[in-house]
Amino acid sequence: MDYISEMKALHIRFDIITEQKAAQIMQTEYSYYQLMEYSQLFEQYEKTSQKGMFIHLDFAQLYFLAVIDDSVRLLILNQFLDLERMLKLYLINFFNQDQALSLCPVKEYYEQDQAYIINVYTDSRNDTVHAKYPYLSLSEMSISQFLDIIQFGTLERFFTFCMNHYFSFPAEGKNTLKECLLSVRHLRNASAHNNAILSNLKNRITDDNNYYAASEVKNFLKSSGINQKTLSTNMTRTVTRDFCNFFYLYNTFATHPSIKSTCARWSVFFQNVYLQYGTYFSKNELLISAFTFMQKVNTIYLDSIS
């Protein structure tokens, strides 16, 4: 299929990257459909005879966004692995304070969420679990054994169960942590499955409950100097909201050296994006606004532990 002609028909230009090079990129790096996901971030004519065609969009901008998104996914995955480990350690340390409790949460959780557990951890679906602990059912495992084999989806459900039954968090804190765990899952799944993240920057939350569920995140950022208008804009966008919630949860459970190292990597990333690609997106208010906001959020957490 002649994707170059399709792009040109939509008024996508090839001023920065030639048509020949663009064709090669779509054969060896990113597919036409992967690149076109980012096109929704750019303005199109709405009322003229050119309706649906792009006003100012070059192929290079789509390509650069795909490259930037690769870096975003890698940063998120590294941060996620760190957070997952910290969440599991928090649970182990909490329940091992009292040895009599070490088996109770797993058994009680299993009884409450049995249908889900049986569906996810049957022999055919997860033989690794049964190979590692062949003589134990999940309900008989210690907290450490259970956390050793479960996937993040189960960890999210188990952590929520423990919050409701064992942790003495205030209601607002529980709601915030639930919302943050959901955001982590969104970003983790997109990153692990190599799905676009930045292409969704325009997507907004339609359910008001989602906006207020993580009120502690919003309050923390507001107290750290981000104004109400900026918060209202970015905390109702799915990607920037998830980014803020992810950082809040990470800052809650990770160690200071880990937070400092992670935030430093994000700082380098933002600096490189502005240096290498800033001029190509200077007229895109959505991208500039979102990246400026996320960079500010990262700086707040970096400064908080410096």
Side-chain angles (χ1 to χ4, degrees):
M1 188 174 291
D2 187 0
Y3 294 126
I4 299 295
S5 295
E6 286 196 22
M7 288 180 160
K8 291 173 74 174
L10 292 169
H11 283 197
I12 297 175
R13 303 191 307 273
F14 295 86
D15 298 338
I16 303 167
I17 293 176
T18 66
E19 294 178 23
Q20 182 179 6
K21 178 63 176 176
Q24 183 181 356
I25 287 171
M26 287 188 284
Q27 288 181 338
T28 60
E29 296 185 57
Y30 304 99
S31 72
Y32 165 82
Y33 298 102
Q34 286 175 314
L35 294 173
M36 287 302 291
E37 281 194 65
Y38 301 99
S39 67
Q40 62 188 302
L41 304 177
F42 297 87
E43 290 184 329
Q44 294 170 279
Y45 291 104
E46 295 181 359
K47 297 180 179 179
T48 69
S49 60
Q50 296 177 313
K51 183 178 180 180
M53 298 179 185
F54 292 98
I55 300 173
H56 297 292
L57 176 56
D58 193 285
F59 174 87
Q61 292 171 297
L62 301 176
Y63 175 58
F64 294 153
L65 280 172
V67 172
I68 293 168
D69 221 1
D70 279 345
S71 296
V72 168
R73 285 190 292 269
L74 287 174
L75 284 165
I76 286 172
L77 280 175
N78 284 329
Q79 188 172 349
F80 164 78
L81 292 172
D82 204 21
L83 174 61
E84 183 181 37
R85 178 168 50 85
M86 293 299 177
L87 288 173
K88 289 181 177 181
L89 284 172
Y90 179 86
L91 289 166
I92 290 170
N93 291 334
F94 178 86
F95 287 107
N96 283 347
Q97 293 178 57
D98 186 344
Q99 292 299 318
L101 283 175
S102 60
L103 280 174
C104 293
V106 177
K107 186 175 181 180
E108 289 186 18
Y109 168 69
Y110 181 89
E111 291 172 354
Q112 177 176 299
D113 211 8
Q114 191 169 1
Y116 166 82
I117 291 292
I118 291 174
N119 181 56
V120 174
Y121 294 98
T122 57
D123 289 351
S124 59
R125 284 177 175 266
N126 208 317
D127 56 357
T128 303
V129 173
H130 300 275
K132 197 162 191 177
Y133 299 107
Y135 304 111
L136 284 177
S137 70
L138 267 72
S139 62
E140 298 172 324
M141 289 183 179
S142 68
I143 184 76
S144 296
Q145 291 170 328
F146 183 67
L147 293 173
D148 182 39
I149 55 90
I150 61 174
Q151 305 161 356
F152 183 74
T154 310
L155 175 61
E156 180 188 359
R157 297 167 75 101
F158 181 63
F159 199 94
T160 301
F161 169 83
C162 291
M163 277 198 297
N164 293 332
H165 290 79
Y166 295 101
F167 301 164
S168 57
F169 296 158
E172 187 176 20
K174 289 181 180 179
N175 287 335
T176 293
L177 290 177
K178 289 177 185 176
E179 178 69 8
C180 289
L181 284 166
L182 180 62
S183 290
V184 170
R185 174 154 53 87
H186 289 163
L187 293 174
R188 179 264 177 199
N189 288 349
S191 299
H193 300 143
N194 206 31
N195 295 333
I197 294 175
L198 298 181
S199 64
N200 298 312
L201 279 172
K202 286 180 72 173
N203 294 357
R204 289 193 175 276
I205 300 164
T206 55
D207 182 359
D208 288 340
N209 291 328
N210 284 336
Y211 177 46
Y212 292 106
S215 57
E216 289 188 355
V217 179
K218 186 181 72 170
N219 292 339
F220 170 74
L221 294 174
K222 186 177 180 180
S223 69
S224 301
I226 297 182
N227 65 56
Q228 182 61 45
K229 182 179 179 181
T230 301
L231 279 174
S232 297
T233 298
N234 287 284
M235 291 299 282
T236 53
R237 287 178 178 154
T238 56
V239 172
T240 45
R241 184 278 313 265
D242 285 345
F243 182 86
C244 291
N245 290 350
F246 188 12
F247 267 69
Y248 184 88
L249 192 67
Y250 187 77
N251 190 65
T252 301
F253 290 98
T255 63
H256 277 198
S258 294
I259 296 169
K260 188 171 184 178
S261 175
T262 295
C263 289
R265 286 195 294 270
W266 277 102
S267 293
V268 171
F269 162 75
F270 285 119
Q271 290 169 7
N272 288 339
V273 167
Y274 285 117
L275 285 173
Q276 295 181 45
Y277 307 108
T279 56
Y280 302 111
F281 302 108
S282 59
K283 295 181 180 180
N284 191 310
E285 293 182 6
L286 172 64
L287 288 171
I288 294 298
S289 172
F291 270 82
T292 300
F293 174 73
M294 291 189 290
Q295 184 180 33
K296 176 64 175 176
V297 170
N298 180 67
T299 300
I300 286 171
Y301 284 107
L302 184 59
D303 290 346
S304 71
I305 51 93
S306 298

